[in-house]
Amino acid sequence: MIGWFIVAAEVGFWVFVISGLFFRYLLKLKRLGGFLLLSTPLIDLLLIIVTVMDIKNGATANTFHGLAAIYIGVTIVYGHRMIKWADERFAYWLAGGAKPKKGPKYGSEHARIERIGWFRHLLAWFIGCSLLYLMVWSIGEPSRTENLLSLIKTWTMILIIDFIISFSYTIWPKKEKANM
């Protein structure tokens, strides 16, 4: 049950974002568009409620339950940035707004942005893992939560790899290729 709900939550997030931008820029209904954009966290709240209810009703926590916690951590940290990214592009394409700026691709500024990106990943990891540990604790039955602990280990390895890559740009800054 929870697997399809996670997919629905992700689809719902983007439906709210695109609808909000549609109403804001195409139909010029800025308040309604803003309301839809500000309503995206309700999807996360609904997802965590459904996940907890499923586990409380006796389901063995599986990868999908864990992905719900990861999804929430990622959305809390990156959701606003994703909406801002989409908003800038809609404003440019549909409302004559300023062309979105591209981030630096080389040098120390690129390295700084990579480090900031890793710290955001760390925050998403912290939130998601806190929710995972909260689920493990609330269930209180190790046989029903093995998958959640496994997800924490996997995500921790991904975070370590991201750290190595992100901070490597500080030691070895990416250089612009010379034009020939």
Side-chain angles (χ1 to χ4, degrees), residues 161-173:
I161 292 167
D162 186 24
F163 173 85
I164 292 167
I165 293 168
S166 296
F167 281 78
S168 72
Y169 292 110
T170 301
I171 299 167
W172 301 287

Side-chain angles (χ1 to χ4, degrees), residues 51-62 65 139 141 144:
T51 301
V52 169
M53 285 176 40
D54 193 40
I55 292 171
K56 288 290 184 186
N57 288 334
T60 297
N62 60 36
H65 293 98
I139 293 169
E141 295 178 41
R144 290 178 53 207

Side-chain angles (χ1 to χ4, degrees), residues 55 59-62 132-133 135-150:
I55 292 171
T60 297
N62 60 36
L132 289 167
Y133 278 120
M135 284 194 270
V136 168
W137 174 78
S138 68
I139 293 169
E141 295 178 41
S143 63
R144 290 178 53 207
T145 59
E146 291 173 21
N147 287 325
L148 301 180
L149 296 173
S150 178

Side-chain angles (χ1 to χ4, degrees), residues 7-17 40 43 71:
V7 172
E10 178 67 13
V11 169
F13 173 84
W14 286 108
V15 165
F16 269 68
V17 170
T40 56
I43 296 167
Y71 174 82

Side-chain angles (χ1 to χ4, degrees), residues 61-179:
N62 60 36
T63 303
F64 290 113
H65 293 98
L67 287 176
I70 291 169
Y71 174 82
I72 289 167
V74 169
T75 326
I76 289 170
V77 174
Y78 292 101
H80 177 74
R81 292 177 56 80
M82 288 187 279
I83 291 171
K84 183 180 178 200
W85 178 90
D87 189 44
E88 287 172 349
R89 274 130 191 94
F90 265 70
Y92 174 66
W93 294 330
L94 303 174
K99 185 174 183 174
K101 296 177 184 173
K102 293 184 179 183
K105 295 182 182 182
Y106 309 102
S108 61
E109 187 61 21
H110 175 259
R112 185 181 75 79
I113 289 171
E114 289 290 330
R115 289 190 306 270
I116 290 169
W118 183 81
F119 282 111
R120 283 190 180 105
H121 185 178
L122 176 64
L123 181 57
W125 173 87
F126 178 78
I127 293 167
C129 287
S130 296
L131 291 170
L132 289 167
Y133 278 120
L134 187 61
M135 284 194 270
V136 168
W137 174 78
S138 68
I139 293 169
E141 295 178 41
S143 63
R144 290 178 53 207
T145 59
E146 291 173 21
N147 287 325
L148 301 180
L149 296 173
S150 178
L151 272 174
I152 292 170
K153 290 177 188 173
T154 302
W155 196 3
T156 301
M157 288 304 302
I158 292 168
L159 183 71
I160 291 168
I161 292 167
D162 186 24
F163 173 85
I164 292 167
I165 293 168
S166 296
F167 281 78
S168 72
Y169 292 110
T170 301
I171 299 167
W172 301 287
K174 192 174 179 183
K175 295 179 179 155
E176 192 170 359
K177 295 177 184 175
N179 291 331

